[in-house]
Amino acid sequence: MAAYVQDVFMLFGDSITQGAWEPGMNGFGERLSHVYARKLDVLNRGYSGYNTEWAIPVLEQCVANHADKNTPKMRVLTVWFGANDACIKPSPQHVPLPKFIANLKQIVSMIHSSESSYYSPDTRILFMTPPPVNTYQRRADLENRNPPLKLDRLFDTTKEYAEAVKNVAEEAKVGLVDVWSALWEAVGKDEKSLSKVLTDGLHLNADGYGIIFEELMKTIAEIYPDVHYEHLGYVFPPWAEINWESPAESLYVTKKVSE
């Protein structure tokens, strides 16, 4: 197993998070891994098709117990759900809006409540709103499948879930990356023009991910500057700062087992 030498930046979400490392997609996960290299380990905890109801049991297994002191600290946690929760009935992915809101609050409580087994008071939480749906693209994509499928998401419904994320973030006093608004404004507030930032009416393309990365970094710089990559040093020193006469003196950032 890998030893603990770096803390982590965890991306928790659905397929839009899972795909954030897809080659050629300019994914925000790929770019985060680059700018946080040697500073924080960026972890992909994205699960295609998942909603918040299914995500909570997973998060309980992805986050270390508070009593375990020998695990990496989770410095940053992004929570990006809603795209699947907002599916319309009879989709099994659908989560009623009140339950979706309750689930988001439970995720925050898991991390920031002192009574939680997963209590991590220093973790910076960032909620991310689901992107707007291009129902023209989405309908065409589903109808071209074999067998053809009916439209499973609505523009206004997803907007309601995005607004819910914003409200919970404000109430819980955690960070917010308003993906919905950023993409909507980028295409001139025109649903058909969302094809410029979405591949299939739901998932982001390279341009969409590029916008989200910039929004994420801007938000971190504004409200959590201590964990912005520009303010974090390398865990292990740059080669020029190594004590060349006695390298071990500058290279052991954790105590040796024998000590």
Side-chain angles (χ1 to χ4, degrees), residues 10-52:
M10 185 182 293
L11 309 184
F12 185 53
D14 51 36
S15 60
I16 307 175
T17 294
Q18 181 179 320
W21 276 262
E22 185 177 345
M25 292 300 290
N26 193 36
F28 78 112
E30 179 181 56
R31 295 181 66 182
L32 286 171
S33 294
H34 173 68
V35 297
Y36 280 96
R38 297 177 58 178
K39 299 177 179 182
L40 295 177
D41 286 331
V42 182
L43 303 183
N44 186 340
R45 296 295 182 264
Y47 302 90
S48 178
Y50 276 47
N51 56 32
T52 52

Side-chain angles (χ1 to χ4, degrees), residues 2-258:
Y4 165 33
V5 292
Q6 292 189 175
D7 291 331
V8 304
F9 188 134
M10 185 182 293
L11 309 184
F12 185 53
D14 51 36
S15 60
I16 307 175
T17 294
Q18 181 179 320
W21 276 262
E22 185 177 345
M25 292 300 290
N26 193 36
F28 78 112
E30 179 181 56
R31 295 181 66 182
L32 286 171
S33 294
H34 173 68
V35 297
Y36 280 96
R38 297 177 58 178
K39 299 177 179 182
L40 295 177
D41 286 331
V42 182
L43 303 183
N44 186 340
R45 296 295 182 264
Y47 302 90
S48 178
Y50 276 47
N51 56 32
T52 52
E53 191 73 6
W54 303 335
I56 288 173
V58 174
L59 185 61
E60 290 175 344
Q61 299 169 76
C62 290
V63 178
N65 190 289
H66 176 61
D68 190 346
K69 304 301 182 182
N70 296 314
T71 58
K73 296 180 178 64
M74 185 167 60
R75 299 288 300 279
V76 187
L77 172 67
T78 61
V79 180
W80 197 359
F81 286 97
N84 296 319
D85 299 75
C87 281
I88 56 179
K89 295 180 179 180
S91 170
Q93 294 171 296
H94 171 76
V95 174
L97 188 58
K99 181 60 175 174
F100 174 66
I101 292 170
N103 288 344
L104 292 178
K105 292 179 179 180
Q106 183 177 344
I107 289 172
V108 175
S109 181
M110 279 179 59
I111 307 302
H112 281 175
S113 171
S114 60
E115 297 179 359
S116 170
S117 299
Y118 311 97
Y119 181 48
S120 181
D122 296 327
T123 296
R124 307 297 194 259
I125 298 177
L126 289 147
F127 275 1
M128 302 175 70
T129 59
V133 174
N134 182 341
T135 56
Y136 300 95
Q137 266 186 305
R138 184 64 179 169
R139 180 181 284 108
D141 177 74
L142 293 173
E143 289 179 349
N144 284 328
R145 297 187 185 184
N146 187 17
L149 299 174
K150 293 182 179 180
L151 184 65
D152 58 354
R153 291 165 172 82
L154 299 175
F155 181 88
D156 288 338
T157 300
T158 298
K159 184 178 181 181
E160 290 179 0
Y161 281 68
E163 288 297 323
V165 174
K166 292 165 63 175
N167 292 337
V168 174
E170 181 178 6
E171 179 183 333
K173 295 181 172 57
V174 299
L176 174 75
V177 181
D178 190 358
V179 173
W180 201 99
S181 296
L183 296 180
W184 186 234
E185 292 172 5
V187 301
K189 300 182 179 181
D190 176 65
E191 184 179 346
K192 288 185 177 180
S193 295
L194 285 167
S195 59
K196 298 176 182 177
V197 294
L198 302 175
T199 61
D200 56 2
L202 175 63
H203 300 95
L204 277 62
N205 62 19
D207 289 336
Y209 273 126
I211 292 170
I212 299 320
F213 175 78
E214 296 301 333
E215 287 294 316
L216 175 58
M217 296 318 307
K218 181 176 71 175
T219 303
I220 291 175
E222 290 175 353
I223 66 172
Y224 300 139
D226 59 311
V227 292
H228 191 280
Y229 67 89
E230 292 181 345
H231 298 155
L232 296 175
Y234 288 152
V235 173
F236 292 97
W239 72 270
E241 296 178 11
I242 294 172
N243 182 340
W244 300 335
E245 300 299 323
S246 182
E249 292 182 7
S250 50
L251 291 175
Y252 276 98
V253 299
T254 59
K255 290 185 177 181
K256 296 181 182 179
V257 174
S258 59

